[in-house]
Amino acid sequence: MFLGLAIFVILALVATVIIYRAAKALLNRLTGREQEKSAPSREAPESKKDESNGKAKKDVRSESLSEEPSPGEQAEVDPAAELARDRYDSSREQGITESFSPEGQQYCIDPKTVADQCVSSSTLTYLEFNNRELAGEEYLGFNLIIEKDTRMVLTYNGRALASLTAVELRSTAVVNGQEVEGTVPGFRINTFPPAFTEEMAPSDLIRMLDASGRIRACGSDPALVAECMISEFTAPDNIRKLKINVDSKIQAKESSRRRSLDTAQKKPPKLLLPR
């Protein structure tokens, strides 16, 4: 009897231990599954945040790369333009050049003579020559300013490039064995650094620099300087540009004058009042 009771107690204890261990294992397994399910939900914001940061960094890098020109988009350096820029800088550093004609070398600045020369050596008409001052700021070319017996100026885009000015030069002479100082008529020759504006192209700068160089090469001879100025003005390409710029303005001016004359002729006669 006592032995049977002891065996029952032992079996009950073994069964209890087995049940306890099984329950604990089951609890641990369920707890592990819950942790696995909850882990992604806790890590998701971090993962999403990292993905968002990565996308932002990628966008920033893309913008940075888009701002940098690719090798194919980089502007090629034009050797001619680079040379013209160097010549322009040198001309500005040199500033205004000046020389005076030697005694005895004379030239008559006469608008009629210059007009005849320009018309005969180009396709320019007298009407166009006499209205050349109508050229506006959009005219990128050479023009002439002529003041009888006083001054001739070669301009480009309305800015002086070279000038020939009548002046009185100091001179000495021997009279009755004595040296006497006086003055004689002569000319002052000036060239000016090109005035390069943002509307111009490198070709405009080259034209101005070449013209200045040719005028300086004439030395102090006023006749040669005047001839060079006229030659620059009457160059075929320059005359073509001048015609395009001034012809329509001359036409409008002539039409306006004609309308004024017609209006004046159509005025009703004045009534004569009886005395």
Side-chain angles (χ1 to χ4, degrees), residues 97-191:
T97 67
E98 186 170 83
S99 62
F100 294 90
S101 62
E103 188 174 341
Q105 289 189 345
Q106 294 299 312
Y107 176 75
C108 179
I109 301 178
D110 179 43
K112 180 63 171 65
T113 302
V114 176
D116 292 340
Q117 189 172 351
C118 290
V119 171
S120 63
S121 60
S122 71
T123 60
L124 208 61
T125 65
Y126 282 103
L127 183 61
E128 289 169 330
F129 179 83
N130 293 331
N131 287 276
R132 64 192 183 280
E133 74 279 357
L134 292 178
E137 294 182 357
E138 69 279 6
Y139 170 57
L140 298 177
F142 295 107
N143 213 335
L144 289 175
I145 299 173
I146 305 172
E147 299 174 9
K148 184 174 175 58
D149 299 328
T150 304
R151 190 171 66 122
M152 179 185 291
V153 182
L154 179 70
T155 66
Y156 196 94
N157 191 219
R159 305 279 186 91
L161 191 64
S163 64
L164 178 66
T165 308
V167 294
E168 291 292 325
L169 302 176
R170 288 184 177 276
S171 177
T172 59
V174 178
V175 180
N176 296 328
Q178 293 184 351
E179 191 176 84
V180 179
E181 290 188 357
T183 60
V184 294
F187 288 90
R188 186 185 69 239
I189 301 163
N190 295 107
T191 63

Side-chain angles (χ1 to χ4, degrees), residues 38-57:
S38 61
S41 63
R42 289 194 302 268
E43 294 175 1
E46 292 294 328
S47 176
K48 189 174 182 181
K49 182 178 180 181
D50 292 341
E51 182 180 355
S52 176
N53 290 340
K55 185 177 180 181
K57 291 178 181 178

Side-chain angles (χ1 to χ4, degrees), residues 195-212:
F196 188 62
T197 62
E198 59 182 7
E199 294 83 8
M200 295 181 180
S203 58
D204 293 296
L205 180 57
I206 293 172
R207 291 177 70 194
M208 288 187 285
L209 290 168
D210 289 346
S212 294

Side-chain angles (χ1 to χ4, degrees), residues 236-267:
D237 184 58
N238 192 69
I239 293 301
R240 180 183 61 82
K241 289 183 178 181
L242 181 65
K243 282 174 169 286
I244 292 173
N245 191 274
V246 304
D247 281 6
S248 60
K249 299 171 185 176
I250 294 173
Q251 184 181 24
K253 187 177 177 181
E254 289 294 307
S255 301
S256 176
R257 183 182 304 168
R258 181 61 187 173
R259 284 196 297 269
S260 299
L261 291 174
D262 291 343
T263 302
Q265 291 175 357
K266 290 180 181 179
K267 284 184 178 180

